[in-house]
Amino acid sequence: EKAGLAIAKNQGSGHYDRFRERVIFPIFNARSEVVAFGARSLDKDNPAKYINSPETPLYTKGQYLYGLNWAKDSISRQDMVVVVEGYMDFITPFAAGFENIVASLGTALTVEQIRLIRRYTKNVVMLFDADPAGQSAMIRSLDLLVEEGMAVKVAALPDGEDPDSFVRKFGAEDFKKAVANAQSLFD
């Protein structure tokens, strides 16, 4: 219950599984220790498409980047990171060989997340979904990135595509080209 995996029932005794009927994504810290979970509904009509662990003594959402534990060496080597929004937007490109990528866990970047990135690079390419929520989160992140001294570029994918769907349709090489064509924030 303290970890947020089970929720006490309102009436009577017992608990129920917070992540029932969902695909679960463990969230790791930079040392590859599981600190929380995210989950996507298997029911496409469920209005709560994604749910996450609540904040716990181990987990504060704005302090972690999904996939950093796997990507940090590549980020340092390439001196650049691509920041995407969600779990699948990280997993699909990473599995296709694009390894200097992290996900913001579906929110605008926080100062803590930016400082975590800065341990490995100052060069950031933002690649959030083209929907209003993604664009709004990216815009909120840009000011903080600049304030923290990061060199920021913005990449775009065709309308209706996110990193997950784009890599599945067009492949990792086209994804690399889209990232390489990222524009300076000021452009």
Side-chain angles (χ1 to χ4, degrees), residues 6-137:
I7 299 173
K9 292 182 179 176
N10 290 336
Q11 318 264 324
S13 63
H15 292 79
Y16 66 92
D17 178 3
R18 174 186 301 270
F19 299 117
R20 65 194 175 283
E21 299 178 18
R22 293 176 179 273
V23 175
I24 298 176
F25 301 92
I27 299 169
F28 297 90
N29 64 19
R31 295 180 308 275
S32 294
E33 299 166 326
V34 176
V35 294
F37 299 93
R40 181 179 174 146
S41 176
L42 296 173
D43 176 2
K44 66 181 180 202
D45 296 324
N46 186 332
K49 184 175 176 182
Y50 284 97
I51 59 172
N52 299 299
S53 290
E55 294 203 354
T56 68
L58 285 178
Y59 178 68
T60 302
K61 186 176 184 178
Q63 294 179 354
Y64 295 92
L65 292 160
Y66 189 75
L68 181 64
N69 57 311
W70 296 298
K72 63 186 179 185
D73 292 339
S74 183
I75 292 166
S76 291
R77 252 191 332 275
Q78 296 185 47
D79 192 24
M80 188 267 289
V81 64
V82 175
V83 179
V84 296
E85 283 183 80
Y87 308 108
M88 293 307 297
D89 292 333
F90 163 82
I91 290 169
T92 302
F94 189 88
F98 193 92
E99 297 180 344
N100 57 322
I101 188 169
V102 296
S104 67
L105 296 166
T107 64
L109 287 174
T110 65
V111 171
E112 291 86 358
Q113 288 172 318
I114 294 167
R115 290 178 180 164
L116 194 54
I117 290 169
R118 197 170 54 206
R119 292 180 188 174
Y120 305 98
T121 186
K122 289 188 176 190
N123 300 303
V124 177
V125 174
M126 296 295 293
L127 182 50
F128 277 25
D129 295 356
D131 62 14
Q135 294 304 295
S136 177

Side-chain angles (χ1 to χ4, degrees), residues 74 77-78 80-82 84 89 92-101 125-127 153-158 162-183:
S74 183
R77 252 191 332 275
Q78 296 185 47
M80 188 267 289
V81 64
V82 175
V84 296
D89 292 333
T92 302
F94 189 88
F98 193 92
E99 297 180 344
N100 57 322
I101 188 169
V125 174
M126 296 295 293
L127 182 50
K153 290 185 175 182
V154 178
L157 297 176
D162 59 31
D164 170 40
S165 65
F166 186 86
V167 171
R168 284 188 285 119
K169 278 185 195 171
F170 304 107
E173 286 306 312
D174 282 357
F175 184 76
K176 287 177 185 177
K177 289 176 189 171
V179 170
N181 290 330
Q183 297 292 308

